[in-house]
Amino acid sequence: MNRLEPGQLWVMRIHAAIFAGVALAAGLAAGFGFHEGFGTPVWLPAAVVLVLLSYPLLIAPGRHWRAWGYEKGDRELAVAHGVLRQVHTVVPYGRVQHIDVAQGPIERSFGVTRLVLHTAGTAHSQVVLPGLRRETAEALRDEIREYIRQEPA
Amino acid sequence: MSGDTVADRRLHPATVPVRFLKDAPSTVLGLPAIAGFVSNVGVGRVLIFVGIAAAALIFFSWLSWYRFKYGVGAHEIVIEKGLLNRSRRSIPFDRIQDVDIERGPLARLFGLAKLKIETGAGGKDEGALDSVSVAEAERLRTALRHRGATIDASDDAAAAPRVPPIFAMDIGRVLLSGLFNFSLVFIAGLYAALQPLQNILPFTIEDFALWLGFTEDRLLSGAALPIIAAGLVLAGLLGVIAGVARTLARDYGFTLTLEPEGLRRVRGLFTRTEVMIPRRRVQLGLIESGPLRRRLGWLTLNVQTLSGESKDKGRQALAPLATEAEIVPILSAIGDLALPGDGAFVPVSRRHVLKGIVYNLPPAIGVSIAGLFFPPAWLLLLLFPLTVVGTILERRTHGYRLAGGLLHVRRGWWKQRLWIVPVKRAQTISVSRDWLQRRLGLATLLVDTAGAAMMSDPRIVDMRAEEAVALAAAIRRGLRG
C-alpha cells in the first residue's frame, strides 16, 4: 500500500488544530460563564478541554494518516482508511462516472491534492483519496480516463 | 443541430378543464372562502369572488395550454413553454432513459394521460407532457423508445399483439397482499392529518375516544382493561383495513408483461401507472418475506434500478405477493437474476453472536447500575437475553453464496431478505472492520450497486476476515469477466 504524502499529515494536523482552537475558545467562554455563576477558576473548563483535546490534536492525525493507503492496479484502485473502523474499498476503473481533482487552501500550501472518484453506487458513490502530489493525482486521473475511454462501462 | 425541430403540437384541449378541476378546490374555493371568513362580507360577494377566481384560473390554464407546445424531430423531442419567460427544452433521444405514462382519476374521465420523460439527469419534471390523449401518449412513447437508446426492437410495440402477462394479481391476491400490509403508521398519519381539521369536522377526535370509553378516571380505576383491549383490537382492525385499502389503491390490476426492451408494469385503482423497467437497468433483486408470509409460501420481489433521484423510482415492485414458482419466470425474464441453486449458503462466523453480546454489555451494565437506585429498571435486563436470542437467530439465517456470477446474500429471521446481486453490477467492493471485529477476526463485506438506496443493502456482516478478503477478490475476478 502506498502511503500519503507527508504534507497531508500537516494538513490533518492543521485541521485538528483548527478544531482544537474552536473547542478551546468555547472552553474559555464557558470558563468565564462558570466563573460568574459558580465561582470556579476561569481556566478550569479550558484546561479540561485541553486535556480532552490531547488525543485528537496530538495522536489522532498521525494515526489517521498512517491508516490511509492506496494501491493502483491495472484495472482498479484500492483505497484503505480508518482508525477505529478500517475500511478497504476497491473501485474498478470501469465503474468510475467522473473524477475530481480537488485542492483546498490548506492542501495547496502543503502541495497535496485530493482525488475524488464518483461511481453510480449508493453507499460508496464517492471514493476520496487525499494527500497525493498534484502530478500523481493527475496521472491517476488521466490513466482512469483513458481506461474509461477504451472500455466504456 | 438542435433548433430545426419545430414544436408544432399542443396538449389535448381537455387539459384546461382537467387542470381547472384539479386546482379549483384550493384556488377558487379556498381563497374566497378565507376572504369571506376574514372580512365577514356577505355570501353574494363571496360568490362574486369565486366567479372571478374561477374565470381567472380558467383563463390562465388556457393561456399556459396555449403557450405550451411540443414537437418530435429526427433526433430529439422539443418542449416550448412559459407565459412570459419562454423556455425551449430539447431532449435528445439517446438521453431518454424512460418514458412513463400516468393516468389519474380525472385524466381517465377525460381520456387523457400524462407522459413523463426521464433522462437520468436526476431532476424532477425533466420533461412532462401533462396531458395528452391516450392514443397520443402511446404513439409518443413508441416513437421515443424506438428512436432512443433501444434500437434493437425490430417490431413496433404498439402494433404487436398483446402478449399474456408473465405475472398478474387478481383482486383476491391484491386483497390478500393488503392483509400482510398491516399498517398502523398510516393510522397515525391519518390522525395527524385530522388534527388541524378539528374545527371543521362534525366530531372531535377526543369525542371519538370518549365513545370508546377512554375517560381518564375510568382508565385510572383499573376497570378499563377490557376497554383498552377493545381499543387495541379496534386499532388492529383499522390497521388491517388501512393496509388493504392502501394496497388496493396501489396494486389493483397489477400486471407485468414482457416486452422486447424490458418489463412493463401496469397497476393502480385510481391512478393507473404504467412503468417500463428496461432489463439492462436492473441492478439487483431483493426477495422479502415476513414470518407469516413465509409460512404460507408468499414472497415479495423488488428490483433496484438505475434511475433518477426520486426514491420510489429506484426501487420497483415486480411482484408484491407471489409464490416462488411465479418469481422464477420473472427473474429469468430479467435475465441477470436467478434464485440460488442447490448449493448451501456459507453462514457468517459464530463470533457474530459473541460480538452481539459484547455490544449489548454496556447497556446491560448501565441498566444494572440504574437498578441499584431504581429496582424496576432490573426488568429491562430481560431484554438482554432476548437480544442475544435474536442475534443467534440472525446468525442462523445470515449467509452468502457466490456462484455463476451472482452473489446471493440472505439475512433476517423475522423479516427474511434475499439479495440477488449480479457481480458485474458491482460499483465498489469494500471490506470494513471495526475495533471489535478486528479483535474477533471478523469483517463486513459490502458490494455497492447503483440505483436508489434501498432500506438496507446486501452487506455481509461478520464473516471471517480471511474469508471476506477472499470473497472480495473472487468478486473482483468476476468483474473482470
Side-chain angles (χ1 to χ4, degrees):
Chain A
M1 278 265 161
N2 299 301
R3 285 255 174 113
L4 303 188
E5 293 294 322
Q8 180 65 25
L9 179 56
W10 282 102
V11 173
M12 286 169 165
R13 281 178 181 151
I14 285 172
H15 277 297
I18 291 170
F19 169 73
V22 172
L24 209 59
L28 276 176
F32 282 108
F34 285 150
H35 181 69
E36 293 284 315
F38 311 102
T40 51
V42 174
W43 49 264
L44 188 71
V48 172
V49 168
L50 209 59
V51 170
L52 290 178
L53 278 176
S54 57
Y55 175 80
L57 191 59
L58 302 175
I59 305 164
R63 292 189 70 186
H64 278 277
W65 183 79
R66 277 192 299 279
W68 275 98
Y70 69 95
E71 199 155 27
K72 187 173 73 73
D74 51 345
R75 290 175 188 199
E76 59 197 20
L77 180 72
V79 178
H81 70 96
V83 171
L84 267 181
R85 184 162 167 272
Q86 297 175 348
V87 184
H88 183 272
T89 306
V90 173
V91 194
Y93 290 162
R95 289 291 178 267
V96 175
Q97 298 278 346
H98 54 274
I99 316 163
D100 299 336
V101 172
Q103 195 176 43
I106 303 170
E107 286 171 311
R108 190 171 308 139
S109 48
F110 287 96
V112 289
T113 46
R114 238 174 317 141
L115 187 74
V116 187
L117 303 181
H118 298 261
T119 71
T122 11
H124 296 270
S125 64
Q126 270 188 35
V127 177
V128 185
L129 176 57
L132 300 176
R133 288 230 302 276
R134 182 152 207 120
E135 308 86 78
T136 322
E138 281 174 354
L140 253 169
R141 180 194 60 192
D142 292 342
E143 189 178 329
I144 297 171
R145 206 159 53 181
E146 194 55 36
Y147 184 93
I148 297 169
R149 195 172 303 155
Q150 280 164 9
E151 271 180 65
Chain B
M1 193 183 108
S2 66
D4 15 336
T5 309
V6 220
D8 54 352
R9 283 169 176 273
R10 288 221 170 86
L11 300 175
H12 195 280
T15 302
V16 179
V18 166
R19 245 182 237 167
F20 170 73
L21 287 176
K22 245 189 223 167
D23 295 344
S26 56
T27 331
V28 177
L29 299 176
L31 284 178
I34 290 168
F37 188 72
V38 173
S39 59
N40 218 359
V41 292
V43 178
R45 279 213 196 148
V46 170
L47 279 180
I48 293 170
F49 279 140
V50 169
I52 293 172
L57 187 63
I58 292 177
F59 176 69
F60 281 109
S61 301
W62 175 81
L63 202 61
S64 74
W65 170 82
Y66 182 75
R67 299 289 273 166
F68 191 107
K69 285 178 175 178
Y70 68 93
V72 181
H75 308 284
E76 59 182 359
I77 176 165
V78 171
I79 295 173
E80 282 182 6
K81 61 178 171 182
L83 300 180
L84 294 172
N85 283 323
R86 295 288 286 169
S87 75
R88 181 188 163 96
R89 171 176 294 173
S90 68
I91 306 172
F93 285 149
D94 41 309
R95 286 286 168 275
I96 294 175
Q97 296 279 347
D98 215 342
V99 186
D100 292 345
I101 292 178
E102 192 183 289
R103 306 187 64 199
L106 266 178
R108 283 163 76 183
L109 212 61
F110 284 86
L112 299 180
K114 179 179 178 181
L115 194 79
K116 293 196 283 188
I117 302 166
E118 206 190 311
T119 61
K124 63 175 165 72
D125 268 351
E126 293 172 328
L129 300 182
D130 184 11
S131 307
V132 292
S133 70
V134 177
E136 173 73 352
E138 298 268 352
R139 187 191 74 85
L140 279 171
R141 188 177 52 181
T142 2
L144 297 181
R145 280 221 182 106
H146 287 237
R147 273 187 272 180
T150 47
I151 325 159
D152 54 332
S154 49
D155 58 332
D156 197 11
R162 282 275 172 215
V163 281
I166 56 168
F167 177 70
M169 287 174 42
D170 56 21
I171 181 77
R173 181 79 70 89
V174 174
L175 290 174
L176 183 64
S177 163
L179 287 180
F180 293 118
N181 280 332
F182 172 83
S183 155
L184 280 177
V185 182
F186 192 69
I187 291 186
L190 196 69
Y191 185 80
L194 283 179
Q195 284 285 11
L197 299 177
Q198 284 263 11
N199 300 328
I200 308 164
L201 287 175
F203 59 91
T204 64
I205 299 170
E206 274 70 29
D207 270 350
F208 195 64
L210 251 162
W211 299 344
L212 295 174
F214 281 126
T215 52
E216 271 179 46
D217 48 331
R218 286 180 75 180
L219 276 179
L220 290 173
S221 71
L225 266 180
I227 294 165
I228 291 175
L232 283 176
V233 168
L234 186 77
L237 215 63
L238 280 174
V240 170
I241 292 169
V244 169
R246 203 173 49 156
T247 312
L248 196 64
R250 191 187 54 198
D251 287 340
Y252 175 78
F254 191 104
T255 45
L256 200 65
T257 37
L258 181 62
E259 306 220 336
E261 59 269 48
L263 295 168
R264 181 206 291 253
R265 185 191 69 195
V266 182
R267 66 172 179 179
L269 180 60
F270 303 113
T271 300
R272 264 326 265 146
T273 60
E274 190 176 329
V275 173
M276 190 71 183
I277 302 154
R279 269 190 217 97
R280 62 197 160 84
R281 284 173 58 202
V282 173
Q283 302 292 315
L284 68 79
L286 172 59
I287 296 174
E288 286 176 304
S289 184
L292 189 61
R293 266 182 290 172
R294 188 164 59 244
R295 193 128 305 164
L296 299 170
W298 294 115
L299 304 165
T300 300
L301 172 66
N302 290 304
V303 290
Q304 185 174 306
T305 61
L306 186 57
S307 184
E309 298 288 288
S310 54
K311 57 183 192 317
D312 51 332
K313 282 293 286 183
R315 185 185 191 167
Q316 300 286 9
L318 289 192
L321 194 70
T323 61
E324 195 176 303
E326 284 169 329
I327 280 180
V328 170
I330 303 176
L331 289 178
S332 61
I334 296 167
D336 279 341
L337 307 179
L339 287 175
D342 291 329
F345 272 73
V346 184
V348 295
S349 167
R350 282 209 179 78
R351 293 183 186 170
H352 177 61
V353 178
L354 197 60
K355 196 190 86 172
I357 292 172
V358 174
Y359 273 149
N360 273 304
L361 276 180
I365 292 169
V367 167
S368 310
I369 293 170
L372 293 177
F373 303 98
F374 183 63
W378 291 106
L379 279 175
L380 280 174
L381 278 183
L382 288 175
L383 288 175
F384 185 62
L386 281 180
T387 50
V388 172
V389 170
T391 334
I392 292 170
L393 290 172
E394 162 104 358
R395 191 202 85 87
R396 283 221 182 138
T397 50
H398 193 18
Y400 69 92
R401 182 166 187 273
L402 178 69
L406 285 178
L407 175 71
H408 288 100
V409 178
R410 198 176 57 185
R411 190 173 185 189
W413 56 276
W414 180 258
K415 188 166 194 174
Q416 216 172 64
R417 294 192 167 98
L418 172 71
W419 287 269
I420 310 169
V421 189
V423 165
K424 63 175 180 184
R425 297 285 189 207
Q427 296 286 334
T428 62
I429 303 131
S430 62
V431 177
S432 67
R433 313 180 67 190
D434 64 24
W435 184 86
L436 189 58
Q437 282 181 315
R438 284 202 298 281
R439 260 98 207 134
L440 295 173
L442 302 174
T444 295
L445 181 106
L446 172 65
V447 176
D448 195 22
T449 50
M454 285 197 170
M455 295 292 279
S456 47
D457 46 31
R459 59 182 69 211
I460 310 169
V461 182
D462 295 338
M463 344 173 30
R464 282 192 301 113
E466 319 83 80
E467 213 177 290
V469 172
L471 184 61
I475 291 169
R476 278 152 70 184
R477 276 197 302 280
L479 254 178
R480 288 167 177 225

